[in-house]
Amino acid sequence: MFGGRPQPSSAEKIAAAEAEIEMINGMVNRLNQSCTKKCIPPDYREPDLNKGESVCLDRCVAKFFDVTMKVSEKMQADQQSAAMGMGGT
């Protein structure tokens, strides 16, 4: 109880969930734009993806999520280091 973090209110939880949804929505949009631009030519002639486009999209999505995770981990580590530095020595 004493010295613990205060529990967020319902409104704060809702705001945090909405912010997370916005962030995920933005990430999906960036992923879609980036991989579509890279892997699917604008003058496509077939209704289905061909093998090369499918492989390209698969790799693009995998790389996108790999980079996103690495950036997130780095930012969390930097944030923890900054918090430790501010917390005293």
Side-chain angles (χ1 to χ4, degrees), residues 15-64:
E18 288 174 343
E20 188 171 352
I21 289 170
E22 273 299 310
M23 182 186 70
I24 291 170
N25 192 26
M27 183 176 69
V28 169
N29 286 335
R30 286 190 308 276
L31 168 70
N32 188 14
Q33 289 174 344
S34 174
C35 292
T36 299
K37 184 177 181 180
K38 179 178 180 181
C39 297
I40 301 175
D43 60 340
Y44 60 90
R45 295 181 181 103
E46 301 171 8
D48 297 326
L49 294 174
N50 63 37
K51 185 171 180 160
E53 292 165 342
S54 291
V55 170
C56 180
L57 285 170
D58 187 48
R59 289 179 180 165
C60 182
V61 169
K63 286 179 183 180
F64 186 93

Side-chain angles (χ1 to χ4, degrees), residues 71-87:
V71 169
S72 177
E73 289 168 3
K74 174 72 171 129
M75 289 176 67
Q76 285 179 351
D78 290 350
Q79 199 173 35
Q80 288 175 349
S81 294
M84 294 279 230
M86 294 174 71

